[in-house]
Amino acid sequence: MKAIRVHEFGDPDVMRPEDLPGERPGPGQILVAIKAAGVNPVDAYIRSGMYAKKPALPYTPGMDGAGVVEGVGEGVTKVSEGGRVYVAGSISGTYAQQALCAESQVHPLPKHVSFSQGAAMGVPYGVAYRALFHRAQARAGETVLIHGATGGVGMAAVQLARAAGMKVIGTAGTEKGLSLTLQQGAHHAVNHRDPDHLEQVRTLTGGRGVDVIVEVAAHVNLGADLKILDYDGRVVVIGSRGTIEIDPRDAMTRDASILGVVLFNASERDLAGIHAALVAGLENRTLQPVIGEEIPLDQAPRAHRAVMEPHAFGKIVLIP
């Protein structure tokens, strides 16, 4: 099979296609023929060697994917050969024509959902769900501000929050982004390039402030986020590329909380619940991943450069 391999940590060009022997599933394992692989910023952090957890070299990148079950090991009951599935995590990596997975990492993909859309589920929707419901404890009727609403995680958060009965405000940096944010279910969209965009958010809440903020760039926004929270508001941080100075009194006066979230910290039980909810959302069509670009597998370096660019529109996937 064809697979992308990394023999040393470094820039995107350390990823190169190679021919590898095909995989075989062992007990409790599933072999998936990958039709699309999701590209996430965390994949780029790992490849660069900057991430806290590093895989043993050489390795095949990728956590997310979708395809068809090619083989099942002893004891597997969740799926059968020929079934359409999406993959959220894998044993062997998803930037390949095949991925070996544990049974818990494979989830059914409804027929009306494309493989590229399935490849967009794992990390983006998993992080968004855990941020909103496990960490921030967001509830129907609350107002949620979602920064970077046009990216993979941001778009997932918009769809999840809207489906759960929240008032949703999303930020974007272009007219196209603002339009896309509204199309995905946000009640309001504000341009984060506008110097007074957070005051616009405050106005949209009648001066009260928001209940929950989903923050993808805490190194830029966290200090200002705290100033537009309502009493008992929560900022849930899913992304940061550096440090920032904040005034703790802004949190104190609001009884506010700053919450971090990393999907890798979720328990097996939590992950099972997350994906049960996500599969239901796909089935009832409240969740509809948006694909920004499909890139051939052997151009994985280009995909890694693209996923780190600002102003993303939808999900980048690799096609084996």
Side-chain angles (χ1 to χ4, degrees), residues 124-133 138 144-164 166-170 184-186 212-216 236 238 278 286-287:
Y125 280 80
V127 168
Y129 190 97
R130 188 161 188 261
L132 283 168
F133 303 114
V144 179
L145 172 64
I146 298 167
H147 286 292
T150 60
V153 176
M155 221 173 275
V158 168
Q159 294 176 7
L160 286 164
R162 180 61 187 261
M166 299 166 207
K167 180 178 179 180
V168 182
I169 304 171
Q184 297 311 305
V212 174
I213 298 175
V214 176
E215 183 52 78
V216 298
V236 59
I238 64 173
L278 297 182
T286 56
L287 302 182

Side-chain angles (χ1 to χ4, degrees), residues 8 18 23 33 41 43-44 49 51 80-81 116 118 128 151 158 174 177 179 209-210 243 246 249 281 287 290 314 317:
E8 61 179 334
E18 293 183 12
E23 300 279 4
D43 300 343
Y51 202 69
S80 56
E81 289 189 24
S116 289
V158 168
T174 65
S179 177
V210 298
T243 60
I246 66 170
R249 288 173 294 186
L287 302 182
V290 174
V317 298

Side-chain angles (χ1 to χ4, degrees), residues 21 28 47-48 53 63 107 193 202 220 222 224 277 282 294 300:
R47 180 222 72 233
S48 71
K53 294 182 179 180
M63 302 176 190
H107 310 281
R193 294 178 176 275
R202 188 189 301 278
V220 176
L222 184 57
L282 289 174
E294 295 178 334

Side-chain angles (χ1 to χ4, degrees), residues 110 112-113 159 163 276-288:
H112 67 268
V113 183
Q159 294 176 7
L278 297 182
V279 170
L282 289 174
E283 289 174 343
N284 65 28
R285 301 176 190 258
T286 56
L287 302 182
Q288 300 186 39

Side-chain angles (χ1 to χ4, degrees), residues 4 13-14 23 25-26 40 57 77 81-82 95 113 169 187 224 229 234 236 242 251 260 266 284 308 312:
I4 296 297
D13 291 324
V14 300
E23 300 279 4
N40 298 296
L57 296 170
T77 60
E81 289 189 24
Y95 290 15
V113 183
I169 304 171
H187 294 87
L229 284 176
R234 294 88 77 198
V236 59
N284 65 28
M308 299 305 291

